Amino acid sequence: MCLSSKSMRPPDLFGSRTSSAADLCASAARSTIPRSCPSLHVPSSPMSSIRSLFDLHHDVLDLILGQCSATTLLRLRSTSRTADVHVGDQLETRYRRLLHPYVDDQLGFRAMLDATGSIISGSAALKVCSGLDFTPGDLDVYAPSDTFHAMLSYLINAENFRIVAFGTSASSANPALYEGGIDVVVRLVRQESHIDLIQSLTNSAPLPVMHFWSTCVMSFLTGRGCVIPYPDLLEKRRGLLNPIRAQAPNGLLVVEPLMAKYDLRGIEHRLREIDWARDEDPTARCPRDRSSSCPHTIRWIGDPFCAHVDFRALHQRPRHIAIPFFPMFSPLYGVFPDPWWTLTTVWWRGGLTCGGDCDNGDDAVESAVWTQPFEYLS
């Protein structure tokens, strides 16, 4: 298996003009992403460039914005009220298009996600967060342990789905795709639509997500927006293999076909972030900045490395009271409803080290994923 194969990119709908227009979305905005993600920072450009962008025909503008990642759009929306409205419309359109084949009452379904603390993850969330052009095979919904049955009841009674498989992850239809942090997997069907409802082992719905095979599918949608644990990698359309999965017995046999599928979707994979730099310079060394993907960095849903996007325009959001221990850039603030942000998922990526001085001679770091109250984090 070759981990350095070049990924295939989505077709360029506008030829050379599309790339420059999409680049405009990234370069014309002042960065609002936390400084912990330096690769996401871009200098500001004249406001005339942004006005020219929004003077385009709405169909052309939709196609341009449609190719941008959510993190690029987050920067763009910070430049003006007009940008905020257009970006909000783009993200809402993506969400509606995603849900259209699966649920009839989209507002009711999204309200239920918020009420139960449930999330949508996997390829469906990647579709919304990345702007890549592919069609997810189904919808994966992850529910906290205590509200799993409420979400299941809603899908059966309100959306007329029926259960076709019910069991633990070990007895589910495709257990290789669902490992770690999972109690029960239920497959529901309505005509041609498939929804997998997954029960977390705890009241933190993202717990199973951080066991996924790649960082590219660790983003997730709430009823209000999205949370992106690795925004710098996703914006570059890159993914890192999860050491928990890749180093498990027969792990690569499971991961290799998934890598091939996502390579076709436009995501390039490596074992370590430093490997991309070493493609250009074999002597490249780690900058020792404890980045989001460093094996030594302890991460959690809500840390400064995460990016969040509230799909609502600024004037549509309710006013919030700042909480001292809860930073405003946290992905949970305003995106994850109370009280579900009080318990968070923590993970230690681990895996192969880069060989820098900070490794203390260790070739690898142990991986771990767990949940704990947010207020206990320091």
Side-chain angles (χ1 to χ4, degrees):
M1 178 184 63
C2 178
L3 295 180
S4 60
S5 59
K6 302 299 182 184
S7 61
M8 297 177 62
R9 300 301 180 192
D12 190 344
L13 301 178
F14 290 88
S16 60
R17 289 186 58 192
T18 301
S19 297
S20 60
D23 290 343
L24 175 63
C25 294
S27 64
R30 225 170 254 164
S31 176
T32 59
I33 303 295
R35 293 180 182 178
S36 306
C37 302
S39 63
L40 293 180
H41 180 76
V42 292
S44 60
S45 296
M47 293 301 295
S48 59
S49 299
I50 296 176
R51 287 194 293 269
S52 298
L53 175 67
F54 295 121
D55 285 340
L56 295 172
H57 189 276
H58 64 86
D59 288 339
V60 177
L61 179 61
D62 180 65
L63 287 172
I64 294 173
L65 297 184
Q67 296 189 43
C68 297
S69 71
T71 47
T72 299
L73 294 176
L74 179 58
R75 271 199 220 93
L76 178 63
R77 80 184 314 177
S78 70
T79 60
S80 68
R81 292 182 180 274
T82 300
D84 177 58
V85 172
H86 280 285
V87 168
D89 288 345
Q90 167 63 213
L91 293 170
E92 281 291 338
T93 297
R94 291 186 191 183
Y95 207 168
R96 288 194 298 269
R97 289 172 178 170
L98 172 70
L99 294 180
H100 177 72
Y102 301 101
V103 295
D104 295 329
D105 182 4
Q106 293 196 15
L107 292 179
F109 174 75
R110 291 171 63 173
M112 194 64 184
L113 290 178
D114 278 352
T116 60
S118 301
I119 59 175
I120 298 171
S121 193
S123 60
L126 176 64
K127 168 74 173 179
V128 174
C129 295
S130 67
L132 292 171
D133 186 16
F134 68 91
T135 302
D138 57 15
L139 197 68
D140 294 336
V141 179
Y142 294 79
S145 178
D146 287 352
T147 58
F148 166 79
H149 288 94
M151 193 73 214
L152 178 61
S153 177
Y154 175 85
L155 291 172
I156 293 173
N157 296 318
E159 290 292 341
N160 298 314
F161 278 84
R162 58 185 178 85
I163 297 175
V164 295
F166 189 111
T168 64
S169 58
S171 63
S172 61
N174 197 347
L177 299 181
Y178 301 106
E179 292 184 359
I182 289 174
D183 191 3
V184 171
V185 178
V186 177
R187 167 148 288 199
L188 301 113
V189 173
R190 186 187 65 187
Q191 297 177 350
E192 301 299 320
S193 299
H194 299 259
I195 293 180
D196 285 347
L197 179 62
I198 299 98
Q199 182 181 25
S200 173
L201 283 172
T202 72
N203 275 336
S204 178
L207 175 63
V209 175
M210 308 324 297
H211 287 84
F212 283 178
W213 68 277
S214 167
T215 59
C216 75
V217 285
M218 290 181 180
S219 300
F220 58 87
L221 306 173
T222 69
R224 311 175 186 188
C226 67
V227 176
I228 308 174
Y230 294 91
D232 48 348
L233 290 174
L234 184 60
E235 188 167 43
K236 297 174 184 175
R237 296 184 175 178
R238 293 174 174 178
L240 291 175
L241 298 181
N242 187 344
I244 295 177
R245 299 293 300 276
Q247 297 174 10
N250 299 321
L252 288 179
L253 294 179
V254 175
V255 169
E256 189 172 8
L258 293 172
M259 285 178 55
K261 179 172 75 172
Y262 280 83
D263 182 68
L264 292 174
R265 291 177 173 180
I267 302 292
E268 188 177 25
H269 278 90
R270 297 287 190 277
L271 289 171
R272 303 171 298 184
E273 190 171 7
I274 192 66
D275 291 338
W276 278 291
R278 289 176 179 168
D279 286 345
E280 305 295 332
D281 179 7
T283 65
R285 296 180 64 83
C286 171
R288 301 180 63 181
D289 60 356
R290 286 293 194 269
S291 68
S292 63
S293 60
C294 175
H296 296 278
T297 303
I298 296 179
R299 300 287 314 279
W300 63 88
I301 299 297
D303 69 12
F305 292 109
C306 287
H308 79 284
V309 184
D310 191 325
F311 291 171
R312 297 167 296 183
L314 190 60
H315 68 276
Q316 297 173 324
R317 305 176 202 171
R319 294 181 180 271
H320 292 284
I321 300 175
I323 302 173
F325 68 85
F326 208 72
M328 288 297 292
F329 55 74
S330 166
L332 307 184
Y333 193 92
V335 176
F336 227 138
D338 300 343
W340 300 108
W341 53 258
T342 56
L343 183 69
T344 189
T345 294
V346 184
W347 72 100
W348 198 338
R349 175 176 158 72
L352 295 176
T353 61
C354 67
D357 297 335
C358 57
D359 293 334
N360 298 320
D362 296 330
D363 294 328
V365 178
E366 187 175 355
S367 305
V369 184
W370 68 95
T371 58
Q372 69 182 63
F374 192 95
E375 61 183 318
Y376 294 162
L377 295 169
S378 60

